[in-house]
Amino acid sequence: MNSLRSFNIMYLKGIGPSRAELLDKELGIKTFYDLLHHFPSHYVDRSVIYKVRDLNGDMPYVQLKGRFVSFNELGEGARTRLVALFTDGTATMEVVWFRRIKQISEAYKTGNEYILFGKPTLFNNTWNMVHPEVDLPTSATAAQGFRGVYPLTEKLRNKGIGSRTIFGWVQTLLATRGSDIRETLSAEVAEELRLMPLDQAIRTIHNPQDNASLQKARFRLKFEELFFLQLNMRRYSRKRNGVVQGFRFARVGSYFNNFYSNCLPFPLTGAQKRVIKEIRHDMGSGRQMNRLLQGDVGSGKTLVALLCMLIALDNNVQACLMAPTEILAAQHYETISGMASAVGVNVKLLTGSTRKKERDLIDEQLQDGSLHILIGTHAVIEDKVKFRNLGFVVIDEQHRFGVVQRARLWQKNVVPPHILVMTATPIPRTLAMTVYGDLDVSVIDELPPGRKPVHTVMRFENQRFSVYQSIGRQLKQGRQVYIVYPLISENEKLDLKSLEEGYESICEHFPSYKVAFVHGKMKPREKDYQMSLFASGEAHILVATTVIEVGVNVPNATTMVIENAERFGLSQLHQLRGRVGRGADQSYCVLMTKQKIARETRQRLEIMTSTTDGFLVAEADLKMRGPGDLEGTMQSGIAFDLHIANLATDGQIIQLAHDWSERILDEDPDLLLPKNQPLRNTLAFIVDRAIDFGRIS
Ligand code: ADP
Ligand code: MG
């Protein structure tokens, strides 16, 4: 599709420079090729026409057929709007336009029959449709079959570019340049999988005549996306495994043995032992390790990390642990230096707020090799941080780190260090396959003994009093309590206000207890001070935002109240909940919501109340929200190029794409055979744009 990629979209009839700029900015559509790959997000069956009387709140986009009764211009200045009454004989509806009022009132006549297409909403007990598409029943776009609904932005709509506009452009493009669509797959793959040819698939996806052909087209296009993603990653990871040598940690020496025999605070769980064995095996193989360690909150990943770092030290290299926040880095530092100093390991903490003097000492010791383990935030990957011989890197709660940051770590030594990525967000296997390429995966699927599952309940605003009573009971027993507020970046001021009000009302309710208060906008020192008040037990209640989401460890805290729980994602709620249930006592998590919540919201929260298994929660989250929202997928850069495939639901196609990549590369690692020429050509474009996953992950 070479030529389609090289034509700027502004040259398409009806677009021009200013719209082209807008399309690029809003949708990333730059070329003819991009426009053809801007697929409808869903379809509306043109044969179905709804009645106004039958509308209900769950409907996305619908078609209605009827007449305008009147047009009235209301309001003034910026608030001017055109309101039309529309009826189809069953009931009336208001149709509202905020822009292009003059053109619209001239274009549409009362009495004529029109087909409206839009999203109905109920407002003041009247059905409303804002800026619908309006068609004569006879017009060409009111065709048979399905009609695609294209993803758009508010800005585009404001400029009068609707789904139908895009449809029109695509049709023009297909009519004039459709023959330039080149097949991207080899005949071997296409035939064996009975795939629809690419040009037909693209035509069909934009203008399907029936459901069967639409499904075939979707399958073809999804496969294509996932296949080239896999082919690219697999090709590089094969190369890397052949070429890139890693440290060979052949021995287990006195650091590890000493610690294991004399200092282990508790016997390892079976899962911890197994995972350490897997990591040891990797590190001894001579190939650079890239391993993902998954383990639910509280499963004991830190101890595993420490034991692996000790093995690294036994092989005369330095180790480093990177955490996403200062609080978490400090906590790791406490835990790890506390344990490791007993066997003579020198551990230091480096964050953005490390003082110059300490920092100089760290630099010096890093370079003369006397500093064994460096713990810190992303400050540790700054270029000026130089190790004498960095051999092992642990990245905790990896989803906060992007691919690029990982790549920087990778370059910190001539021989690339082994990398262990730890995460409490479980990722289904097929997703990991795509997001992390050839990252090997270890799983801690067992919690340390004696843990009681956190008892989780949902409570509504009108039950707040009784919630406060239970908090009071826990406090009386000497336990501590977290109260968590959502922070949503779009309106920080408002959020901060609700947080502050929450803080004040808690202080009022529990006057005899000390309340600490922390949020992300605080100076690190103030934050640390407040956190330490709570960690030491001096403060009984901690009112906080999600800054406490990861890693914070206060076993005496047995209750967590999450305000506006409906505003959090499931995985995030699960992370938060992981802050309680860390001691021997029964713990509680209360999900507070307002009185009225949507059915899906309730179902989502009920997953939290029905299980404490992080894998189940993550799977449900993935199904409900899609992987684009899954922390890690966006940053990983994978979601960037997927137009149609869905990492959450297309697991089988991912597997198929993976198997085919392997099969092809087994036979022809450099894709030099003539039959693979189309694959090579297509990859050339992809490699151009994509990050080189094979080296990074
Ligand atoms: P996470 O996997 O969430 O990072 P941590 O490493 O913070 O979990 O461990 C959670 C708690 O469990 C810590 O207090 C830790 O000391 C404790 N722990 C870890 N391993 C074991 C074990 N094998 N037996 C008992 N307690 C353990
Ligand atoms: Mg942890």
Side-chain angles (χ1 to χ4, degrees), residues 185-189 660 663-664 667-668 671-680:
L185 292 173
S186 58
E188 182 189 24
V189 181
W660 265 96
R663 180 170 148 185
I664 290 167
E667 183 190 29
D668 184 13
L671 302 176
L672 296 174
L673 295 178
K675 69 172 180 182
N676 289 329
Q677 170 103 32
L679 304 182
R680 202 164 63 243

PDB file of all heavy atoms in Angstrom, residues 185-189 660 663-664 667-668 671-680:
ATOM      1  N   LEU A 185      -0.593 -10.020   3.091  1.00  0.00           N
ATOM      2  CA  LEU A 185      -0.246 -11.356   3.589  1.00  0.00           C
ATOM      3  C   LEU A 185       0.240 -12.231   2.439  1.00  0.00           C
ATOM      4  O   LEU A 185      -0.088 -11.995   1.277  1.00  0.00           O
ATOM      5  CB  LEU A 185      -1.468 -12.001   4.245  1.00  0.00           C
ATOM      6  CG  LEU A 185      -1.932 -11.344   5.542  1.00  0.00           C
ATOM      7  CD1 LEU A 185      -3.246 -11.945   6.003  1.00  0.00           C
ATOM      8  CD2 LEU A 185      -0.876 -11.483   6.629  1.00  0.00           C
ATOM      9  N   SER A 186       0.995 -13.238   2.788  1.00  0.00           N
ATOM     10  CA  SER A 186       1.426 -14.169   1.755  1.00  0.00           C
ATOM     11  C   SER A 186       0.254 -15.076   1.397  1.00  0.00           C
ATOM     12  O   SER A 186      -0.651 -15.300   2.204  1.00  0.00           O
ATOM     13  CB  SER A 186       2.608 -14.997   2.263  1.00  0.00           C
ATOM     14  OG  SER A 186       2.241 -15.698   3.428  1.00  0.00           O
ATOM     15  N   ALA A 187       0.318 -15.599   0.193  1.00  0.00           N
ATOM     16  CA  ALA A 187      -0.763 -16.463  -0.279  1.00  0.00           C
ATOM     17  C   ALA A 187      -0.925 -17.673   0.647  1.00  0.00           C
ATOM     18  O   ALA A 187      -2.032 -18.129   0.920  1.00  0.00           O
ATOM     19  CB  ALA A 187      -0.459 -16.923  -1.700  1.00  0.00           C
ATOM     20  N   GLU A 188       0.199 -18.144   1.137  1.00  0.00           N
ATOM     21  CA  GLU A 188       0.174 -19.318   2.014  1.00  0.00           C
ATOM     22  C   GLU A 188      -0.746 -19.080   3.211  1.00  0.00           C
ATOM     23  O   GLU A 188      -1.629 -19.875   3.516  1.00  0.00           O
ATOM     24  CB  GLU A 188       1.607 -19.580   2.485  1.00  0.00           C
ATOM     25  CG  GLU A 188       1.763 -20.790   3.363  1.00  0.00           C
ATOM     26  CD  GLU A 188       3.168 -20.863   3.963  1.00  0.00           C
ATOM     27  OE1 GLU A 188       3.839 -19.806   4.076  1.00  0.00           O
ATOM     28  OE2 GLU A 188       3.585 -21.976   4.322  1.00  0.00           O
ATOM     29  N   VAL A 189      -0.533 -17.942   3.909  1.00  0.00           N
ATOM     30  CA  VAL A 189      -1.326 -17.644   5.097  1.00  0.00           C
ATOM     31  C   VAL A 189      -2.791 -17.406   4.725  1.00  0.00           C
ATOM     32  O   VAL A 189      -3.706 -17.973   5.316  1.00  0.00           O
ATOM     33  CB  VAL A 189      -0.788 -16.385   5.812  1.00  0.00           C
ATOM     34  CG1 VAL A 189      -1.600 -16.079   7.059  1.00  0.00           C
ATOM     35  CG2 VAL A 189       0.673 -16.566   6.164  1.00  0.00           C
ATOM     36  N   TRP A 660       1.367 -18.653  13.814  1.00  0.00           N
ATOM     37  CA  TRP A 660       1.764 -18.470  12.428  1.00  0.00           C
ATOM     38  C   TRP A 660       3.092 -17.749  12.312  1.00  0.00           C
ATOM     39  O   TRP A 660       3.914 -18.073  11.459  1.00  0.00           O
ATOM     40  CB  TRP A 660       0.674 -17.735  11.653  1.00  0.00           C
ATOM     41  CG  TRP A 660      -0.225 -18.708  10.967  1.00  0.00           C
ATOM     42  CD1 TRP A 660      -1.411 -19.182  11.426  1.00  0.00           C
ATOM     43  CD2 TRP A 660       0.025 -19.364   9.717  1.00  0.00           C
ATOM     44  NE1 TRP A 660      -1.923 -20.091  10.546  1.00  0.00           N
ATOM     45  CE2 TRP A 660      -1.059 -20.228   9.482  1.00  0.00           C
ATOM     46  CE3 TRP A 660       1.060 -19.321   8.784  1.00  0.00           C
ATOM     47  CZ2 TRP A 660      -1.155 -21.028   8.351  1.00  0.00           C
ATOM     48  CZ3 TRP A 660       0.973 -20.113   7.651  1.00  0.00           C
ATOM     49  CH2 TRP A 660      -0.122 -20.963   7.439  1.00  0.00           C
ATOM     50  N   ARG A 663       5.724 -20.274  12.976  1.00  0.00           N
ATOM     51  CA  ARG A 663       5.855 -21.228  11.878  1.00  0.00           C
ATOM     52  C   ARG A 663       6.638 -20.618  10.719  1.00  0.00           C
ATOM     53  O   ARG A 663       7.539 -21.243  10.151  1.00  0.00           O
ATOM     54  CB  ARG A 663       4.447 -21.622  11.431  1.00  0.00           C
ATOM     55  CG  ARG A 663       4.438 -22.614  10.307  1.00  0.00           C
ATOM     56  CD  ARG A 663       3.035 -23.132  10.075  1.00  0.00           C
ATOM     57  NE  ARG A 663       2.867 -23.437   8.660  1.00  0.00           N
ATOM     58  CZ  ARG A 663       1.723 -23.812   8.125  1.00  0.00           C
ATOM     59  NH1 ARG A 663       0.630 -23.917   8.873  1.00  0.00           N
ATOM     60  NH2 ARG A 663       1.642 -24.086   6.841  1.00  0.00           N
ATOM     61  N   ILE A 664       6.303 -19.397  10.409  1.00  0.00           N
ATOM     62  CA  ILE A 664       6.972 -18.746   9.287  1.00  0.00           C
ATOM     63  C   ILE A 664       8.439 -18.458   9.595  1.00  0.00           C
ATOM     64  O   ILE A 664       9.324 -18.711   8.785  1.00  0.00           O
ATOM     65  CB  ILE A 664       6.226 -17.448   8.908  1.00  0.00           C
ATOM     66  CG1 ILE A 664       4.891 -17.826   8.274  1.00  0.00           C
ATOM     67  CG2 ILE A 664       7.051 -16.586   7.963  1.00  0.00           C
ATOM     68  CD1 ILE A 664       3.926 -16.680   8.123  1.00  0.00           C
ATOM     69  N   GLU A 667      10.805 -21.441   9.475  1.00  0.00           N
ATOM     70  CA  GLU A 667      11.205 -21.839   8.129  1.00  0.00           C
ATOM     71  C   GLU A 667      12.112 -20.792   7.482  1.00  0.00           C
ATOM     72  O   GLU A 667      13.034 -21.117   6.749  1.00  0.00           O
ATOM     73  CB  GLU A 667       9.938 -22.018   7.275  1.00  0.00           C
ATOM     74  CG  GLU A 667      10.241 -22.509   5.867  1.00  0.00           C
ATOM     75  CD  GLU A 667       8.998 -22.445   4.964  1.00  0.00           C
ATOM     76  OE1 GLU A 667       8.124 -21.581   5.174  1.00  0.00           O
ATOM     77  OE2 GLU A 667       8.912 -23.275   4.060  1.00  0.00           O
ATOM     78  N   ASP A 668      11.843 -19.519   7.797  1.00  0.00           N
ATOM     79  CA  ASP A 668      12.476 -18.438   7.045  1.00  0.00           C
ATOM     80  C   ASP A 668      12.724 -17.235   7.970  1.00  0.00           C
ATOM     81  O   ASP A 668      12.017 -16.241   7.894  1.00  0.00           O
ATOM     82  CB  ASP A 668      11.510 -18.058   5.894  1.00  0.00           C
ATOM     83  CG  ASP A 668      12.096 -16.991   4.974  1.00  0.00           C
ATOM     84  OD1 ASP A 668      13.313 -16.726   5.058  1.00  0.00           O
ATOM     85  OD2 ASP A 668      11.314 -16.425   4.184  1.00  0.00           O
ATOM     86  N   LEU A 671      12.877 -13.868   6.468  1.00  0.00           N
ATOM     87  CA  LEU A 671      11.822 -13.625   5.485  1.00  0.00           C
ATOM     88  C   LEU A 671      12.399 -13.364   4.091  1.00  0.00           C
ATOM     89  O   LEU A 671      12.054 -12.399   3.429  1.00  0.00           O
ATOM     90  CB  LEU A 671      10.940 -12.446   5.921  1.00  0.00           C
ATOM     91  CG  LEU A 671      10.272 -12.597   7.284  1.00  0.00           C
ATOM     92  CD1 LEU A 671       9.515 -11.344   7.661  1.00  0.00           C
ATOM     93  CD2 LEU A 671       9.332 -13.804   7.311  1.00  0.00           C
ATOM     94  N   LEU A 672      13.288 -14.249   3.693  1.00  0.00           N
ATOM     95  CA  LEU A 672      13.944 -14.048   2.404  1.00  0.00           C
ATOM     96  C   LEU A 672      13.306 -14.846   1.276  1.00  0.00           C
ATOM     97  O   LEU A 672      13.555 -14.566   0.097  1.00  0.00           O
ATOM     98  CB  LEU A 672      15.427 -14.421   2.519  1.00  0.00           C
ATOM     99  CG  LEU A 672      16.221 -13.522   3.476  1.00  0.00           C
ATOM    100  CD1 LEU A 672      17.643 -14.007   3.665  1.00  0.00           C
ATOM    101  CD2 LEU A 672      16.195 -12.075   2.983  1.00  0.00           C
ATOM    102  N   LEU A 673      12.490 -15.845   1.623  1.00  0.00           N
ATOM    103  CA  LEU A 673      11.865 -16.642   0.569  1.00  0.00           C
ATOM    104  C   LEU A 673      10.911 -15.774  -0.257  1.00  0.00           C
ATOM    105  O   LEU A 673      10.262 -14.881   0.287  1.00  0.00           O
ATOM    106  CB  LEU A 673      11.078 -17.808   1.179  1.00  0.00           C
ATOM    107  CG  LEU A 673      11.882 -18.879   1.917  1.00  0.00           C
ATOM    108  CD1 LEU A 673      10.962 -19.932   2.506  1.00  0.00           C
ATOM    109  CD2 LEU A 673      12.901 -19.513   0.974  1.00  0.00           C
ATOM    110  N   PRO A 674      10.856 -16.051  -1.551  1.00  0.00           N
ATOM    111  CA  PRO A 674       9.981 -15.253  -2.427  1.00  0.00           C
ATOM    112  C   PRO A 674       8.533 -15.237  -1.936  1.00  0.00           C
ATOM    113  O   PRO A 674       7.876 -14.198  -1.982  1.00  0.00           O
ATOM    114  CB  PRO A 674      10.088 -15.972  -3.783  1.00  0.00           C
ATOM    115  CG  PRO A 674      11.337 -16.751  -3.718  1.00  0.00           C
ATOM    116  CD  PRO A 674      11.625 -17.062  -2.284  1.00  0.00           C
ATOM    117  N   LYS A 675       8.055 -16.351  -1.428  1.00  0.00           N
ATOM    118  CA  LYS A 675       6.651 -16.380  -1.012  1.00  0.00           C
ATOM    119  C   LYS A 675       6.382 -15.428   0.150  1.00  0.00           C
ATOM    120  O   LYS A 675       5.251 -15.015   0.381  1.00  0.00           O
ATOM    121  CB  LYS A 675       6.236 -17.804  -0.644  1.00  0.00           C
ATOM    122  CG  LYS A 675       6.889 -18.344   0.620  1.00  0.00           C
ATOM    123  CD  LYS A 675       6.286 -19.682   1.039  1.00  0.00           C
ATOM    124  CE  LYS A 675       6.974 -20.188   2.299  1.00  0.00           C
ATOM    125  NZ  LYS A 675       6.482 -21.483   2.741  1.00  0.00           N
ATOM    126  N   ASN A 676       7.421 -15.086   0.883  1.00  0.00           N
ATOM    127  CA  ASN A 676       7.232 -14.188   2.023  1.00  0.00           C
ATOM    128  C   ASN A 676       7.487 -12.721   1.709  1.00  0.00           C
ATOM    129  O   ASN A 676       7.492 -11.874   2.601  1.00  0.00           O
ATOM    130  CB  ASN A 676       8.123 -14.624   3.191  1.00  0.00           C
ATOM    131  CG  ASN A 676       7.623 -15.920   3.805  1.00  0.00           C
ATOM    132  OD1 ASN A 676       6.409 -16.193   3.800  1.00  0.00           O
ATOM    133  ND2 ASN A 676       8.533 -16.741   4.309  1.00  0.00           N
ATOM    134  N   GLN A 677       7.684 -12.460   0.444  1.00  0.00           N
ATOM    135  CA  GLN A 677       7.942 -11.079   0.030  1.00  0.00           C
ATOM    136  C   GLN A 677       6.892 -10.079   0.540  1.00  0.00           C
ATOM    137  O   GLN A 677       7.234  -9.015   1.059  1.00  0.00           O
ATOM    138  CB  GLN A 677       8.021 -11.025  -1.497  1.00  0.00           C
ATOM    139  CG  GLN A 677       8.040  -9.617  -2.072  1.00  0.00           C
ATOM    140  CD  GLN A 677       9.436  -9.222  -2.508  1.00  0.00           C
ATOM    141  OE1 GLN A 677      10.218 -10.069  -2.932  1.00  0.00           O
ATOM    142  NE2 GLN A 677       9.764  -7.956  -2.374  1.00  0.00           N
ATOM    143  N   PRO A 678       5.588 -10.404   0.426  1.00  0.00           N
ATOM    144  CA  PRO A 678       4.593  -9.432   0.923  1.00  0.00           C
ATOM    145  C   PRO A 678       4.767  -9.151   2.411  1.00  0.00           C
ATOM    146  O   PRO A 678       4.561  -8.015   2.856  1.00  0.00           O
ATOM    147  CB  PRO A 678       3.244 -10.117   0.673  1.00  0.00           C
ATOM    148  CG  PRO A 678       3.512 -11.226  -0.285  1.00  0.00           C
ATOM    149  CD  PRO A 678       4.951 -11.592  -0.161  1.00  0.00           C
ATOM    150  N   LEU A 679       5.150 -10.163   3.164  1.00  0.00           N
ATOM    151  CA  LEU A 679       5.341  -9.964   4.601  1.00  0.00           C
ATOM    152  C   LEU A 679       6.500  -9.019   4.853  1.00  0.00           C
ATOM    153  O   LEU A 679       6.432  -8.116   5.688  1.00  0.00           O
ATOM    154  CB  LEU A 679       5.625 -11.299   5.291  1.00  0.00           C
ATOM    155  CG  LEU A 679       4.593 -12.408   5.087  1.00  0.00           C
ATOM    156  CD1 LEU A 679       4.997 -13.655   5.879  1.00  0.00           C
ATOM    157  CD2 LEU A 679       3.220 -11.933   5.533  1.00  0.00           C
ATOM    158  N   ARG A 680       7.562  -9.237   4.095  1.00  0.00           N
ATOM    159  CA  ARG A 680       8.736  -8.393   4.276  1.00  0.00           C
ATOM    160  C   ARG A 680       8.395  -6.938   3.940  1.00  0.00           C
ATOM    161  O   ARG A 680       8.745  -6.012   4.665  1.00  0.00           O
ATOM    162  CB  ARG A 680       9.859  -8.909   3.382  1.00  0.00           C
ATOM    163  CG  ARG A 680      11.223  -8.477   3.839  1.00  0.00           C
ATOM    164  CD  ARG A 680      12.333  -9.283   3.204  1.00  0.00           C
ATOM    165  NE  ARG A 680      12.376  -9.128   1.766  1.00  0.00           N
ATOM    166  CZ  ARG A 680      12.184 -10.110   0.890  1.00  0.00           C
ATOM    167  NH1 ARG A 680      11.925 -11.336   1.325  1.00  0.00           N
ATOM    168  NH2 ARG A 680      12.255  -9.902  -0.403  1.00  0.00           N
TER     169      ARG A 680
END
